[in-house]
Amino acid sequence: MVKLSVIVPFYNVQQYAPDTLRSLRANARDDFEFIFVDDCSRDETPDILERAARELPGAVHLRHETNGGLATARNTGLDAARGEYLTFLDGDDWLAPGYYGQLVDAIEELGCDFVRTDHVQCTARARTVHRVPHGRRGVVMDPREVILPADRSTSVDYAYAWAGIYHRRLADRGLLHFTDGLRTAEDRPWIWRLHREAESFAAVSLLGVFYRRGVASSLTQIGDVRQLDFIKAFDQVVRETAADRDADELLPKAVRTYCAIISHHLGSIERFEPSVARKLKSMSAAALKRMPQSVLDDALDSMDVPRATRLRRLRRRPVTAEVAA
């Protein structure tokens, strides 16, 4: 039986894919499989993956005929995965040697649904350790219990799918698939659903994923209309949380986080193309009007003055019927 399936989407990362693939070779085991999903790359990435699939034991190379985005590519990999455990890696990131063996050992020792790990963020030559915002390490807990408090960073704000490992039973329950077509913030509805519906999790102090920031082709660096999919993503978070049995407790966290993300994008609006910046304002204003208004009032009252003022001003902005829908 395959012990671990590693799902790795690639899109136009010919510059970085060789580093990623070398790190996977340093993690290979007879019972591991590596599922490469080429999301219709237009550079040399497909050729690099084709060669790697011949050389790396356990490698599977899949290719999309049209570009579907990261969420859809991960879903393709999930559908093909055969492992008892599953994890993710992005095609421009890399791993420490032997990391996946340690990750499997951690979840097998703890016996929980999923395990979350720390990671190293790499920006140019700078290296920064980012930790799961959960203080209790190596202790199995109910994931619902760590969603709150609303006014602090918690595990649902650490929305990196590749910073962890997941038991197959979560995939069998439909909890590991992403919302097809989301171009950004695809991890947000995913991590919220995981914490609401899985039964057990733990955080461990294990470093081994190196997350490359500042890549020119990354959507976090490109101010085009695809970035606005964060609104779809957080609309889904709020909608699904509103239907939860503990909606009264959890909605303030979902709404406050949504507001913080809107404010963040408005605060760096100059990086967007002018037409996208206008759309960001109108779509964000509409999003504020869709939120539960009493919960929104409390969220704004709890925020610092600059952010609350920016959002209240946006809330008063007129919204056309087309944008509101």
Side-chain angles (χ1 to χ4, degrees), residues 256-289:
R256 195 180 193 280
T257 304
Y258 197 173
C259 288
I261 298 296
I262 290 174
S263 179
H264 167 76
H265 283 294
L266 292 173
S268 57
I269 200 168
E270 67 282 348
R271 68 190 176 88
F272 290 95
E273 301 162 4
S275 62
V276 179
R278 291 191 295 271
K279 196 168 185 178
L280 169 63
K281 289 182 179 179
S282 60
M283 291 179 67
S284 297
L288 291 172
K289 290 177 170 57

Side-chain angles (χ1 to χ4, degrees), residues 15-28:
Q15 180 180 354
Y16 307 110
D19 289 340
T20 304
L21 294 165
R22 275 192 293 270
S23 75
L24 290 174
R25 290 189 192 98
N27 277 268

Side-chain angles (χ1 to χ4, degrees), residues 114 116 143-144 146-150 152 154-160 175 185-198 233-234 236-242 244 246-247 249-258 261:
F114 67 101
R116 304 287 282 152
R144 294 178 71 90
V146 302
I147 295 174
L148 299 177
R152 281 171 44 195
T154 70
S155 292
V156 291
D157 301 307
Y158 189 79
Y160 307 107
L175 299 183
E186 69 289 327
D187 291 344
R188 296 292 187 151
W190 179 87
I191 193 69
W192 270 83
R193 184 175 66 246
L194 203 55
H195 273 273
R196 286 195 314 265
E197 300 187 29
F234 274 97
Q236 183 180 344
V237 170
V238 170
R239 182 173 63 252
E240 292 177 351
T241 304
D244 188 87
D246 296 321
E249 296 178 21
L250 300 181
L251 262 177
K253 171 70 173 177
V255 169
R256 195 180 193 280
T257 304
Y258 197 173
I261 298 296

Side-chain angles (χ1 to χ4, degrees), residues 2-7 33 35 74 77-89 100 103-104 107 113-115 161-162 164-172 176-177 190:
V2 176
K3 178 64 71 173
L4 177 68
S5 297
V6 183
I7 297 156
E33 68 175 3
I35 303 175
R74 284 176 175 168
L78 283 167
D79 291 340
R82 299 175 296 146
E84 181 181 356
Y85 301 102
L86 303 100
T87 191
F88 304 91
L89 185 68
Y100 281 148
L103 196 56
V104 168
I107 194 169
D113 283 344
F114 67 101
V115 165
W162 36 257
I165 185 170
Y166 314 91
H167 197 284
R168 166 159 292 281
R169 58 179 170 259
L170 295 176
D172 295 340
L176 289 187
H177 280 72
W190 179 87

Side-chain angles (χ1 to χ4, degrees), residues 203-258:
V204 297
S205 298
L206 180 60
L207 278 176
V209 179
F210 293 81
Y211 168 45
R212 200 187 299 269
R213 288 277 291 181
V215 175
S217 59
S218 170
L219 279 186
T220 59
Q221 303 297 312
I222 300 172
D224 71 10
V225 71
R226 292 173 293 177
Q227 273 278 57
L228 302 188
D229 271 8
F230 84 89
I231 292 174
K232 293 180 185 177
F234 274 97
D235 275 353
Q236 183 180 344
V237 170
V238 170
R239 182 173 63 252
E240 292 177 351
T241 304
D244 188 87
R245 65 179 186 269
D246 296 321
D248 288 347
E249 296 178 21
L250 300 181
L251 262 177
K253 171 70 173 177
V255 169
R256 195 180 193 280
T257 304
Y258 197 173

Side-chain angles (χ1 to χ4, degrees), residues 98-119:
Y99 169 69
Y100 281 148
Q102 296 175 288
L103 196 56
V104 168
D105 288 345
I107 194 169
E108 292 200 316
E109 179 179 342
L110 292 163
C112 53
D113 283 344
F114 67 101
V115 165
R116 304 287 282 152
T117 68
D118 306 325
H119 72 275

